[in-house]
Amino acid sequence: MRESFLDGLLQGVFRVLAEVVPPTADLSSQSLEEIARAMGAEYAGEPWLYGAVIADRPDELERFSPEVFGPAFAREFSRPMVRMLSGKGRTRPQLSDALEAGTLMAGEYGGICAVSGDALPLEDSYVDSVEALTLCRNKSPQTLAGATVNVSKYTAPDMALAYAKAARKLSRGARFLLCQAGWDMAKAQELQWLLQIRDSMVPVVARVLWFSRDQMDVLSHCLPPGVLLPELHLRALKEAYAQGTEEGRRVQARSLALLMTGYRRLGFSGVLLAGEHTGMDRAALQEEFLLCQEKCPDYDAWLTVWRKENALIMRPPVKTPRYLFARLLQEHGRDPARLDFDPTSSLDVGKASWNDRLVSRLLQKASTPTTSPKFREFLCKLCGITPQQLPALGGLGYLPNGQCPKGLTGGACGNVGGEGECDCREGLCFFRRVLALAAAQGRLPELER
């Protein structure tokens, strides 16, 4: 009997998972069956891989869905599997029906990992990951659900938005987290400490990327969403691959093995190996990973090697990065000595405008039961909404929610540009205003529910 995906993460054994991308949808059914089974057999031949996460990428090439690809792959793989559930191109009714029918779990999947699917280019509709988790809890409560979290945020408002969304995902039923791993290991430790202070120690898996030689030329201007790659590190990889594939593979395997070892020593439950890699690439990485763990048997040993080899090149992408905690990545400091403050309340999230404060007060007044229907209608019209919209605005501080460039209504996406602009569409992030208003009204904790 196949072991539970979640049980494996809770056993205290560091797991290495593989992200598997289904082939493009221009194959016949017979060809898909053959390719999927061949892929399953290939990964099954690598004992160090504990399980697999099957990608759901409707934003790129048209590919077979995980529910179509999964059954044939699982026949040969026979290890724990979960599927990503992208909200891209999906609607709430479609997802609700699929969860009730159980069709998303075809292929012997042990669970789902909800992602918003807001990478370029955007569809006219998609289901945000918080909403997907809510639907999963309501329509298919027996399904194991997880979610992603992006920690590569370096301004106070962006950090508050990202961590507030992570808290909402946990409150909506996420039982494991998939962290988009970067090269700033202080941010990795920041996430672990934040979960500890919130008493939310769910298993966290770091998604690390292997870059193929062909990808090197486009990485400078075409990184995957949420991925930060230091320029000096990218340059070193390009120089290594310029000397030949073997040298490039050796250098990348060594650097990625040290990164993976760092996540292990920081208390992560495992890593998800994503990107474009071959069996030879994975064999080289496994060898380097085993050697690195012997060289770095504990946190302090790893930290010494990390500082020596990466102190100059693995720097944050901004001049004045913001962190929630002091003394991150210090000797004898894998676990914090004191965590007696609320990081969110310590963030400077900006000031709410007088117009937002006024609209909020007017609509709060309109929402009270003692307000007459006629006066309620007048206040709503003054603020540009209808009385029917009022119930949905409570969690937003009673700001009209039609101004998010992505059309999100229940909460922020957790990804925003450095100047407050939407990362995918023209316009400013509406939820930065929600955040500033909540801070002014002392309601920041409400944004995490």
Side-chain angles (χ1 to χ4, degrees), residues 417-439:
E419 300 301 321
E421 72 278 6
C422 177
D423 65 319
C424 290
R425 288 179 171 164
E426 292 185 5
L428 295 176
C429 176
F430 164 70
F431 289 94
R432 273 202 175 188
R433 291 165 50 200
V434 174
L435 187 69
L437 182 64

Side-chain angles (χ1 to χ4, degrees), residues 277-332:
H277 40 78
T278 66
M280 295 179 65
D281 295 332
R282 295 191 296 274
L285 178 58
Q286 180 188 13
E287 181 180 357
E288 290 290 344
F289 185 45
L290 292 173
L291 291 172
C292 193
Q293 291 176 89
E294 293 177 3
K295 185 178 181 180
C296 307
D298 55 34
Y299 167 80
D300 285 347
W302 168 80
L303 184 60
T304 299
V305 176
W306 180 263
R307 286 177 172 175
K308 180 180 179 181
E309 299 192 9
N310 292 327
L312 294 178
I313 63 174
M314 301 303 185
R315 291 183 173 179
V318 295
K319 292 183 179 179
T320 55
R322 184 74 178 266
Y323 297 89
L324 289 179
F325 305 97
R327 299 188 60 77
L328 291 165
L329 295 187
Q330 299 294 312
E331 290 86 354
H332 315 297

Side-chain angles (χ1 to χ4, degrees), residues 265-279:
R265 301 307 177 213
L266 286 170
F268 281 67
S269 297
V271 293
L272 174 64
L273 177 61
E276 297 183 7
H277 40 78
T278 66

